[in-house]
Amino acid sequence: MGKTRFFNKPARRERSVPTQCVPALAPSTPAQRESFTPYITREEAIEGVMSGKYVRGTVAINKKYSSAICFVRNAKQWNDVDILIEGKTDRNRAFNGDVVIVEIKPEEEWKSKDKEKPTNHDAAAVTSVHIRSREEDMKLPKDQRSKLPDNRPVCRALAVLQSRNKQAEEDPLADAPKPNLSKDMLITGRIVHIWKQDHQTKHVARALGPAERKTWIRFASYDDKYPHIEVHRNDLKEFQPLLENTEGFLVYLELMREWGDKRFFPQARILKLLGAADQVEVESRAILVQNGTDYTDEFDEECMKVIPDKVPIPSEAELLKEGRRDMRLGAKHERFVCTIDPATARDLDDALSCHDLGGGHYRVSVHIADVCTFVPFGSALDQEALKRATSVYLVQKVIPMLPRKLCEEHCSLNTLGDKLAFTVEWVMDAKGNITSEWMGQTVIRNQCKLAYENAQSIIDGNFDPNSIDLAHISPSRRAWTVERIKESVKGLWKIAEHIRAARHARGALSLNQAKMYFDFEDYNSNMAPKGWHMHETAEANWLVEEFMVLANARVTEKCIEYCPEVSLARYHSPPDASRFESLIKALGEQGLKLNVGSGKALSTSLDNISKHPQIEAIRALTIRCMMLAKYCCTSESADHSLSHFALNLPLYTHFTSPIRRYADLVVHRVLKVALEIEALVKRKLREGVAEEDIVVTPDDVPSGYLLLPEADVTEIALRCNTRKEEARKASDQSIVLYYCLYLQSLYKRWEADGRTEYKERHKATLTKVQEKSFNIFVESLGLDRELFHDNGHKDQRWLGTNKKNAKQGSMCIQWEEGLFEEASVLHRWDVLVWYKKESKNLDFVCQICPPDRSELVGEVGADLA
């Protein structure tokens, strides 16, 4: 069991393509004959990398394939250095995600880059924790070894784990020299070999034109990071509707494995016809596929067979043997447990309990679904969960990471039965100062499922007991249950207020934005929404958030204390100040200051302008200026800090959502082993064994097989980072899709009544200026929209193409002949929004309204081109 390899993708099966479908691939035009340079051989690639002539990395196309540039990265070897690949010729048929061999260009062809202005932390900044290797620590005196933020020493009992990653062991480039790449220049290179095809092969796409009289029909993938794709006409014969109306349908296609150096576009074969382009399920499928979610909520038989029919609650003897505490009412360690979630939530993975101990102290417990008990390590279900890595939330449905039997029944902490949990428990005072702590596996029973609105009404003092479902509680105990619920929520809120205030006083940021939610006649139907509203978090949300953040932080420390080099952390690097320049300048012109010298300074600045009419846009811009938070193996602390800038915490991870995040499942496993190592080490110390002589291997503890070596944890972290970002994009695009459906339904209603076309008016803020486009943030919708300077589609009312200075974040719009409007970041317009009925897919127009003529100027600044 301990040697099971589960984190690598299964080998791709070769597909035989009928020769009559795809003829010999001849170049489309003579000009394309020398489009790309032939690849070097694999042997030449190995020799070149080992000699230092070439380097290996992964292609990252940040925006669109049509962009002139992309980057090649290798986080393990190059840290924060990227190699710039300019133009499609140097990109040489590589796709986003491919592992490639790069030849670095001569130094005189490198580019200069703007000097970064790193954030300078002030005295209130978060402490950086550095975890040395076991070998380094053991050479130092005990008082100089790695320590946790509260000065507890890191236990060095765990022996170094040997890699179980066979692929890494068999990698001929595993011992390649580490390239000496400059951080001061933008290094340029050209791709000379595809080492491993690791791109998305299946796409949702639409034809760019009719199939009539064409041999090759060109399709555009819904994923902008991929080029146009060609399909031979023969491949359309089995899809008659597509031949008759090529542009009206979406297709599901698969890229061919080879892209010849004489072809300007890659080729593909159509797998199936998905349906008409304006159907919500078809468009939703397109969103999922383009964001790496090419699967449904169904799981195969191999995954399902490990799931028991019922939750296996251990007997009293088994509980004692496992060390699992019984926290059900009536037991020795009884806790009154409640959940607080959105009203429609079904995957309840966290619960809380609070008991007033008297004397100003409380016992507070965070109970998290014990998912790792139901997902056997290395099983088919485990592999599938890693592949998915996260649940994906669309407006109308969830694509779960785990089967619904687990995430909505066995693991969901609902009120319908006893549940297995992982509990973090503290005794603390009313200000959140911890006096004792316990972590371990438990059995609990949820006494009440509260919606955030219920908890908020308790905080506000207007709670109606009839608003909650207590059908599972006997009538004689309902009044008592209601009182316990109120006591628990009030106690939790009292403590959470202090914890939140203290965390923000230290410099934690609060950047939560209002989010669009839709109103439906029937939530489970595919009908268009009847309306929408913006939802903002309230005190009840903060209550839950504070205890989840605290649990995550304390679990990180426990894992690092006993498994220091093989734990999974979540870090958030401070931004470089240059990202904020345009925002600082725009606020300065309004007499306002934005200090980004530290998290504390930034938090204070945002608090000072919290009443600004464009605060939502300012928050959106601030988030955009931030670095992305990422998962990593804790051994990476030698390369970067493990601290979390936004939360202002020295160590952090994700532990509290294992139903929907694979990272949390990994952390549960590490925590289980860490607690077993802690118990073993303490027992040996009691037996008189010297601390220096205690060495623990995974075989010495019952769950040791759950630990993964550093390389494997790093690989999982990279996978989780990718999938988390893809899931976020899918959720955002789903919101835009349903807003389009809402506008479409309004248009149809108004059209049926013979009324003027429906348009909504909103306020929008300019947030970014680029060479070909600019971005506006529609404040009342919470949506970002990209508009193009060239008004070729005539959706806008300005003349021709805007002049701009992307570096300065400024632009100039010509509204009338000889009359211009100058705009820079934070410039504000009225915009009209309406359904774009002439579009081939669901879309809407966001049209900027011209200002009053008195605000226009007759000359354009010299810096605008």
Side-chain angles (χ1 to χ4, degrees):
M1 188 78 172
K3 294 184 178 179
T4 304
R5 258 204 12 49
F6 66 98
F7 40 83
N8 285 325
K9 298 178 181 177
R12 230 186 237 109
R13 290 189 296 179
E14 294 296 331
R15 166 181 267 103
S16 61
V17 181
T19 54
Q20 67 269 25
C21 291
V22 183
L25 303 180
S28 301
T29 68
Q32 295 172 10
R33 291 182 190 277
E34 301 300 329
S35 295
F36 301 108
T37 305
Y39 296 134
I40 63 173
T41 66
R42 191 170 183 85
E43 291 70 26
E44 289 172 324
I46 293 171
E47 182 181 345
V49 172
M50 296 306 291
S51 67
K53 180 181 178 181
Y54 304 139
V55 295
R56 179 175 65 172
T58 302
V59 176
I61 298 174
N62 294 335
K63 294 184 180 177
K64 299 180 179 180
Y65 188 88
S66 57
S67 171
I69 65 171
C70 72
F71 296 92
V72 172
R73 296 170 175 158
N74 187 327
K76 296 179 184 178
Q77 275 206 317
W78 313 341
N79 296 336
D80 297 325
V81 178
D82 288 342
I83 296 176
L84 173 66
I85 308 295
E86 293 185 290
K88 295 185 178 113
T89 301
D90 284 347
R91 194 181 305 176
N92 204 2
R93 297 162 286 159
F95 293 110
N96 186 58
D98 282 345
V99 181
V100 297
I101 305 299
V102 177
E103 179 183 19
I104 294 176
K105 292 186 176 182
E107 197 166 328
E108 55 267 23
E109 295 186 41
W110 295 1
K111 310 287 183 181
S112 60
K113 66 178 182 180
D114 296 333
K115 294 288 184 182
E116 290 188 350
K117 299 176 183 178
T119 304
N120 297 314
H121 289 277
D122 61 17
V126 63
T127 304
S128 181
V129 175
H130 174 54
I131 307 298
R132 301 182 192 86
S133 69
R134 187 178 193 278
E135 183 181 10
E136 291 174 315
D137 256 355
M138 296 308 285
K139 293 176 182 177
L140 297 173
K142 284 179 65 174
D143 61 346
Q144 295 179 26
R145 294 177 186 171
S146 302
K147 291 183 174 63
L148 296 172
D150 60 1
N151 237 19
R152 276 178 292 160
V154 170
C155 177
R156 302 306 330 205
L158 180 63
V160 176
L161 274 67
Q162 298 302 312
S163 177
R164 295 186 293 219
N165 188 337
K166 293 180 181 177
Q167 182 174 324
E169 293 168 5
E170 296 166 1
D171 182 2
L173 302 181
D175 298 322
K178 188 173 182 178
N180 184 21
L181 301 179
S182 169
K183 289 188 176 182
D184 300 323
M185 297 287 289
L186 204 51
I187 300 165
T188 57
R190 62 176 65 89
I191 294 171
V192 297
H193 181 79
I194 307 295
W195 181 262
K196 179 187 177 186
Q197 290 186 336
D198 209 12
H199 57 263
Q200 182 179 324
T201 59
K202 295 176 182 176
H203 293 257
V204 173
R206 170 192 275 113
L208 293 174
E212 188 179 4
R213 293 190 300 276
K214 289 182 180 178
T215 303
W216 292 93
I217 295 91
R218 202 188 308 172
F219 286 78
S221 170
Y222 261 51
D223 191 337
D224 290 339
K225 293 181 180 179
Y226 285 80
H228 290 166
I229 301 163
E230 288 185 330
V231 175
H232 197 270
R233 184 182 180 83
N234 289 347
D235 202 26
L236 272 63
K237 287 182 178 178
E238 59 183 291
F239 305 103
Q240 191 61 33
L242 194 58
L243 278 171
E244 296 170 358
N245 182 14
T246 315
E247 298 170 276
F249 292 90
L250 296 187
V251 299
Y252 189 50
L253 51 76
E254 182 175 38
L255 291 170
M256 298 298 184
R257 194 164 177 78
E258 300 298 328
W259 180 358
D261 55 32
K262 299 296 189 292
R263 297 295 302 181
F264 199 68
F265 299 108
Q267 285 75 52
R269 66 185 293 264
I270 295 175
L271 299 176
K272 65 180 174 180
L273 194 64
L274 291 179
D278 60 353
Q279 293 178 352
V280 63
E281 280 306 312
V282 175
E283 294 280 358
S284 293
R285 178 71 188 279
I287 287 171
L288 290 170
V289 172
Q290 79 179 76
N291 287 294
T293 309
D294 191 10
Y295 47 80
T296 67
D297 58 356
E298 298 297 323
F299 289 76
D300 64 29
E301 186 179 344
E302 192 68 18
C303 292
M304 298 299 293
K305 73 180 186 181
V306 300
I307 302 175
D309 293 331
K310 297 189 298 184
V311 177
I313 301 300
S315 65
E316 191 172 336
E318 289 170 332
L319 287 171
L320 190 62
K321 183 179 178 181
E322 289 180 23
R324 188 185 290 269
R325 285 188 181 179
D326 189 347
M327 292 189 170
R328 292 168 290 187
L329 292 183
K332 177 183 177 182
H333 298 286
E334 73 168 16
R335 305 289 182 261
F336 187 88
V337 177
C338 293
T339 55
I340 307 175
D341 289 281
T344 57
R346 289 183 288 188
D347 52 349
L348 314 181
D349 46 17
D350 60 82
L352 291 163
S353 59
C354 178
H355 181 61
D356 189 342
L357 299 174
H361 284 80
Y362 298 80
R363 182 190 295 114
V364 176
S365 310
V366 174
H367 311 277
I368 307 299
D370 186 5
V371 176
C372 66
T373 294
F374 294 92
V375 182
F377 177 81
S379 64
L381 178 57
D382 196 18
Q383 294 181 46
E384 182 65 21
L386 175 56
K387 172 190 166 185
R388 298 179 179 221
T390 181
S391 294
V392 182
Y393 290 82
L394 304 184
V395 169
Q396 82 282 27
K397 62 182 177 182
V398 178
I399 308 298
M401 183 185 79
L402 295 170
R404 297 195 186 278
K405 184 77 173 175
L406 289 182
C407 59
E408 295 181 6
E409 296 181 33
H410 291 0
C411 295
S412 184
L413 304 182
N414 51 50
T415 57
L416 301 178
D418 299 333
K419 301 292 180 177
L420 302 181
F422 224 129
T423 297
V424 180
E425 185 169 86
W426 309 281
V427 172
M428 55 175 61
D429 63 21
K431 293 186 176 180
N433 297 307
I434 297 170
T435 57
S436 68
E437 179 178 71
W438 179 85
M439 299 179 189
Q441 291 172 296
T442 56
V443 179
I444 64 169
R445 176 171 283 217
N446 181 13
Q447 298 301 307
C448 180
K449 178 189 174 184
L450 294 173
Y452 283 121
E453 293 81 3
N454 301 136
Q456 188 62 48
S457 66
I458 293 173
I459 294 169
D460 295 339
N462 55 12
F463 174 60
D464 177 9
N466 295 319
S467 65
I468 58 175
D469 181 6
L470 294 178
H472 58 286
I473 303 293
S474 64
S476 61
R477 291 177 60 85
R478 286 178 189 169
W480 176 84
T481 299
V482 168
E483 288 306 309
R484 288 297 305 269
I485 291 169
K486 290 160 64 176
E487 289 172 14
S488 297
V489 172
K490 288 177 181 178
L492 289 167
W493 172 238
K494 180 179 179 180
I495 301 168
E497 269 193 306
H498 288 289
I499 295 175
R500 183 177 178 81
R503 197 162 59 81
H504 283 268
R506 293 194 301 269
L509 297 173
S510 180
L511 295 172
N512 291 331
Q513 289 185 277
K515 186 176 179 181
M516 181 182 278
Y517 281 78
F518 295 95
D519 306 315
F520 295 89
E521 291 288 353
D522 179 1
Y523 188 80
N524 295 314
S525 77
N526 284 326
M527 293 180 65
K530 64 180 182 179
W532 57 270
H533 65 276
M534 301 302 291
H535 176 76
E536 296 188 32
T537 56
E539 285 95 337
N541 302 78
W542 301 343
L543 181 159
V544 176
E545 178 185 322
E546 288 307 318
F547 289 110
M548 297 304 124
V549 168
L550 181 60
N552 285 335
R554 298 296 292 192
V555 164
T556 317
E557 293 183 15
K558 181 64 71 175
C559 289
I560 290 177
E561 185 178 5
Y562 288 97
C563 303
E565 294 173 72
V566 292
S567 295
L568 187 71
R570 185 161 177 80
Y571 72 99
H572 185 213
S573 299
D576 73 81
S578 62
R579 291 182 175 219
F580 286 91
E581 283 180 352
S582 59
L583 179 56
I584 291 172
K585 179 184 175 184
L587 287 170
E589 290 171 353
Q590 299 180 25
L592 302 171
K593 289 185 178 181
L594 187 70
N595 187 342
V596 298
S598 70
K600 170 67 173 174
L602 179 56
S603 178
T604 301
S605 296
L606 291 172
D607 286 344
N608 291 340
I609 59 175
S610 62
K611 302 301 182 183
H612 193 286
Q614 292 169 278
I615 188 60
E616 287 300 319
I618 292 169
R619 285 200 184 106
L621 269 167
T622 301
I623 292 170
R624 186 175 295 153
C625 294
M626 295 284 185
M627 309 294 281
L628 285 176
K630 295 180 179 179
Y631 298 108
C632 72
C633 180
T634 48
S635 63
E636 293 180 32
S637 69
D639 301 323
H640 56 76
S641 171
L642 298 180
S643 62
H644 198 292
F645 176 78
L647 294 175
N648 198 258
L649 289 170
L651 294 172
Y652 196 67
T653 195
H654 277 161
F655 161 77
T656 54
S657 296
I659 287 176
R660 60 184 177 90
R661 290 189 302 231
Y662 191 82
D664 302 54
L665 179 56
V666 172
V667 172
H668 275 233
R669 289 169 172 165
V670 175
L671 177 60
K672 187 174 183 180
V673 179
L675 294 173
E676 290 173 356
I677 293 174
E678 178 183 32
L680 177 61
V681 168
K682 288 181 176 179
R683 178 169 62 79
K684 286 183 176 291
L685 288 173
R686 289 194 299 270
E687 292 170 354
V689 181
E691 185 179 343
E692 300 291 301
D693 296 332
I694 300 175
V695 178
V696 179
T697 69
D699 293 336
D700 295 329
V701 290
S703 304
Y705 66 91
L706 296 175
L707 281 187
L708 290 167
E710 295 174 30
D712 301 354
V713 177
T714 297
E715 191 174 336
I716 289 172
L718 293 172
R719 175 65 181 164
C720 291
N721 289 334
T722 299
R723 288 295 297 128
K724 187 172 180 65
E725 183 63 10
E726 289 173 338
R728 182 194 63 78
K729 289 179 181 177
S731 295
D732 290 348
Q733 290 166 14
S734 180
I735 290 172
V736 173
L737 170 63
Y738 269 79
Y739 182 59
C740 289
L741 285 172
Y742 162 74
L743 292 175
Q744 182 192 52
S745 68
L746 285 179
Y747 163 73
K748 289 179 177 178
R749 269 184 270 161
W750 281 54
E751 184 181 48
D753 294 341
R755 292 186 285 177
T756 307
E757 187 174 283
Y758 177 84
K759 295 181 180 180
E760 290 190 341
R761 182 178 286 266
H762 300 279
K763 291 288 186 183
T765 296
L766 176 63
T767 58
K768 188 176 184 180
V769 178
Q770 302 167 99
E771 284 301 320
K772 294 184 179 180
S773 63
F774 62 99
N775 290 70
I776 59 173
F777 181 78
V778 187
E779 298 162 23
S780 48
L781 301 177
L783 298 180
D784 189 85
R785 196 73 173 164
E786 182 181 23
L787 305 178
F788 291 92
H789 291 299
D790 183 357
N791 191 20
H793 295 295
K794 305 301 180 185
D795 286 338
Q796 303 299 330
R797 293 166 63 182
W798 63 71
L799 305 180
T801 301
N802 299 326
K803 298 181 182 296
K804 69 278 180 187
N805 185 329
K807 194 168 185 180
Q808 295 294 324
S810 59
M811 55 185 280
C812 188
I813 298 175
Q814 183 176 195
W815 290 109
E816 298 179 32
E817 201 65 47
L819 290 178
F820 302 88
E821 178 187 25
E822 293 183 339
S824 56
V825 170
L826 285 192
H827 191 89
R828 203 179 196 194
W829 293 285
D830 279 355
V831 294
L832 294 177
V833 176
W834 70 89
Y835 171 63
K836 191 173 183 178
K837 58 181 179 294
E838 66 276 9
S839 176
K840 293 171 184 174
N841 61 323
L842 287 166
D843 199 4
F844 65 90
V845 175
C846 192
Q847 185 186 79
I848 295 177
C849 299
D852 190 273
R853 293 183 90 248
S854 63
E855 298 177 35
L856 303 179
V857 297
E859 295 182 5
V860 180
D863 61 334
L864 295 172

